[in-house]
Amino acid sequence: MERLFIVCTFDCSFEYYEETIENFVKEHGHGVVIDYDLNKINDHKSHSFYNVTSLEAFIEILDTPFAREWDKANNCKDIVYKLELVE
């Protein structure tokens, strides 16, 4: 399992972004996204935490034609960080 932290900025409303992410995870995340937590920073920025089965598989679902077009239409930019436990 991989743990990810994503900083996302976008031009659409946060509500529309949140709805799109929820639907996208339901439709494309099966077997990849274990769970996620989406946090509103402001109307055009979010921080989210994802637990995924594979970083490579997660990147693949972010690179679908739908995701690329949606990102372009909403000026959506993601910065993805891989989290590791510090012991």
Side-chain angles (χ1 to χ4, degrees):
M1 178 173 65
E2 302 284 350
R3 298 175 193 277
L4 307 175
F5 172 64
I6 302 174
V7 176
C8 185
T9 57
F10 40 86
D11 287 346
C12 63
S13 70
F14 178 81
E15 291 75 18
Y16 179 62
Y17 172 77
E18 181 178 40
E19 179 183 313
T20 301
I21 294 301
E22 182 178 326
N23 291 334
F24 189 75
V25 168
K26 284 180 185 176
E27 292 176 22
H28 301 282
H30 182 71
V32 177
V33 177
I34 298 166
D35 64 2
Y36 71 100
D37 182 29
L38 183 64
N39 300 283
K40 179 179 181 179
I41 302 305
N42 62 43
D43 289 337
H44 301 288
K45 185 175 186 177
S46 74
H47 288 173
S48 54
F49 297 89
Y50 283 78
N51 289 318
V52 299
T53 56
S54 160
L55 179 58
E56 292 78 18
F58 185 71
I59 289 170
E60 283 182 26
I61 66 172
L62 292 181
D63 195 33
T64 62
F66 170 81
R68 286 192 308 269
E69 287 300 315
W70 193 93
D71 287 352
K72 184 177 178 182
N74 294 283
N75 195 30
C76 183
K77 307 278 191 266
D78 294 319
I79 302 172
V80 180
Y81 299 91
K82 182 178 172 183
L83 300 176
E84 294 184 23
L85 181 62
V86 176
E87 296 184 49

